[in-house]
Amino acid sequence: MEIVSTRDMLIKACKQGYAVPAFNIHNLETIQVIVETANELKSPVILALTPATVDYAGAEYLLALGKVAAEKYSIPIAMHLDHFQQYQQIKKCIDLGYKSVMIDASLDVFEKNIKKVKEVVCYAHKRGVSVEAELGCLGGIEDDIGAREGVFLLTDPVAATEFIKETEVDSLAVAIGTAHGLYKFEPILDFARLEEIKNKTDIPLVLHGASGVPTESVKKTIKLGICKVNIATELKISFAQGVKDYFNIHPEADDPREYLQHGKEAMKEVVIKKIEMCGSYNKAQ
């Protein structure tokens, strides 16, 4: 198979009442863990790349790895630009062959957000690329992108209707009380707001900041219309802890093929749990 856009996989998820997990990747090892585990569980999967990851590993390298994974496995695999803010950077990645992008202008005023999203949608749709945008503002920071501490702006259901109509965006990330990074306290999610947004809109809805949110809470958002769930922080923590644990036992270790394997094994446990949480296992057709 080839890498795909997120459009069809999210529409299918919406119709069948599950969510597709979007896992943040950073290198070869994290890609291997995610796609191999998703293949074992027969789950569609989204590999999400932030601007910082692209700066670190290179858009061309990452795309090549994604293409190899898509050719090797029969599950739907999408490579998705996550929280990109610069039009030229998005355009460059689309031209390279990326088929799913997010333009995050959520920190701008409503009108400017619409204007930026429309520009990306115009370029992307002509090339068969799906576009995600965000309305409202999550708390926390992810790879130096986000709001200052304590700032939340929940998505307005009426504004969401206008936003979707004006931009013709394919999916919408909504702010209902989640945040990027680790939570100091259990988040309080506005389920009523999510239900109203779903009732007023007709495109796939996305939940960012799912790391650390109780499983039952995420499952409830999926029942209320969420069909893409983003997971990043828990993956990084598990991978890092696996490597640290290995060095605690083997302080003399110097072979990355050995100590990185322990990071991969720890991360796999999280990937399994999140696929089960999203209800996407056995949904790859």
Side-chain angles (χ1 to χ4, degrees):
M1 295 179 67
E2 297 182 346
I3 59 169
V4 299
S5 79
T6 54
R7 183 181 295 112
D8 290 342
M9 65 165 61
L10 294 186
I11 290 174
K12 179 186 174 185
C14 286
K15 291 179 178 178
Q16 296 188 11
Y18 63 92
V20 180
F23 297 109
N24 278 59
I25 60 172
H26 301 96
N27 52 17
L28 167 65
E29 287 76 21
T30 52
I31 292 174
Q32 288 175 320
V33 173
I34 293 164
V35 296
E36 289 171 7
T37 306
N39 185 66
E40 289 174 11
L41 298 181
K42 296 181 175 58
S43 170
V45 71
I46 298 168
L47 305 178
L49 310 79
T50 63
T53 296
V54 169
D55 290 343
Y56 169 74
E60 295 89 350
Y61 280 120
L62 293 166
L63 182 61
L65 292 171
K67 287 182 175 180
V68 169
E71 290 171 0
K72 185 175 182 179
Y73 300 110
S74 59
I75 60 172
I77 299 173
M79 298 199 75
H80 175 72
L81 305 184
D82 187 34
H83 289 292
F84 276 61
Q85 297 179 311
Q86 303 301 322
Y87 172 76
Q88 288 301 327
Q89 193 176 24
I90 293 173
K91 179 177 178 294
K92 177 182 177 181
C93 288
I94 290 175
D95 292 343
L96 284 174
Y98 285 86
K99 297 181 179 180
S100 180
V101 304
M102 177 191 185
I103 168 64
D104 184 356
S106 59
L107 296 179
D108 291 315
V109 297
F110 185 70
E111 293 77 12
K112 192 172 183 180
N113 191 348
I114 288 177
K115 181 179 179 180
K116 288 184 176 181
V117 173
K118 287 178 70 173
E119 183 179 27
V120 172
V121 167
C122 181
Y123 191 82
H125 281 185
K126 291 177 181 178
R127 291 156 180 82
V129 175
S130 57
V131 182
E132 175 185 328
E134 184 171 318
L135 184 62
C137 182
L138 274 68
I141 302 290
E142 180 177 348
D143 284 356
D144 298 326
I145 297 174
R148 64 184 184 275
E149 186 174 357
V151 173
F152 291 85
L153 180 61
L154 301 185
T155 305
D156 178 81
V158 176
T161 303
E162 180 183 353
F163 186 87
I164 293 168
K165 180 180 179 181
E166 289 292 326
T167 63
E168 299 183 354
V169 73
D170 298 288
S171 59
L172 183 67
V174 295
I176 58 169
T178 56
H180 294 125
L182 290 175
Y183 294 96
K184 296 179 180 179
F185 306 98
E186 183 175 319
I188 300 174
L189 305 189
D190 193 337
F191 296 112
R193 181 181 298 271
L194 174 59
E195 185 172 19
E196 185 177 358
I197 294 170
K198 179 59 179 176
N199 289 338
K200 291 181 180 295
T201 60
D202 59 358
I203 66 170
L205 301 178
V206 179
L207 184 70
H208 283 244
S211 287
V213 178
T215 296
E216 291 307 313
S217 293
V218 175
K219 287 183 176 180
K220 186 171 181 178
T221 69
I222 294 170
K223 290 181 180 180
L224 294 174
I226 291 293
C227 56
K228 173 175 174 277
V229 176
N230 286 31
I231 301 106
T233 303
E234 286 185 72
L235 299 179
K236 292 188 289 186
I237 291 174
S238 61
F239 191 97
Q241 190 60 54
V243 174
K244 291 175 184 177
D245 290 344
Y246 185 80
F247 276 113
N248 286 335
I249 301 172
H250 306 281
E252 77 289 348
D254 60 6
D255 190 340
R257 293 169 299 181
E258 295 178 357
Y259 58 76
L260 290 179
Q261 182 62 32
H262 284 259
K264 292 170 66 175
E265 291 170 0
M267 183 176 168
K268 180 174 182 176
E269 295 180 12
V270 176
V271 174
I272 291 172
K273 291 178 181 178
K274 299 307 179 183
I275 289 175
E276 292 174 346
M277 175 185 73
C278 288
S280 61
Y281 49 87
N282 291 327
K283 299 297 184 181
Q285 299 292 335

